[in-house]
Amino acid sequence: MRNTAARTYRAAYWLTTRLQDGLAEARRRPDRGDISTTTVIIWVAAVTGAVLIAGSIAVVIAKYNGKLSGL
């Protein structure tokens, strides 16, 4: 039981100090190059489009697999 309490304390201490360091860094350098919302939206749209295209190609290949093997 004592070992678990010590681990919990160490984890809570580490998280607290990490959060405090991050907040101090944010106060010191307010524009530190965070990813903007627009960039995230563009990346999500690009990945979604790529998945849709790959899925469409897979469906077409599966549908016409027998016909394509005779070429």
Side-chain angles (χ1 to χ4, degrees):
M1 183 71 175
R2 180 180 276 175
N3 194 14
T4 305
R7 285 184 188 174
T8 304
Y9 175 78
R10 282 194 303 266
Y13 180 77
W14 180 82
L15 283 172
T16 303
T17 55
R18 179 82 172 120
L19 180 63
Q20 287 173 348
D21 291 345
L23 290 174
E25 179 72 15
R27 277 196 271 342
R28 193 168 56 86
R29 295 186 325 151
D31 66 345
R32 58 190 191 281
D34 287 341
I35 297 176
S36 69
T37 305
T38 307
T39 305
V40 172
I41 291 170
I42 291 170
W43 273 102
V44 168
V47 170
T48 303
V51 168
L52 288 174
I53 291 169
S56 300
I57 291 171
V59 167
V60 169
I61 288 175
K63 184 176 180 182
Y64 294 107
N65 195 19
K67 295 178 184 177
L68 290 174
S69 63
L71 291 179

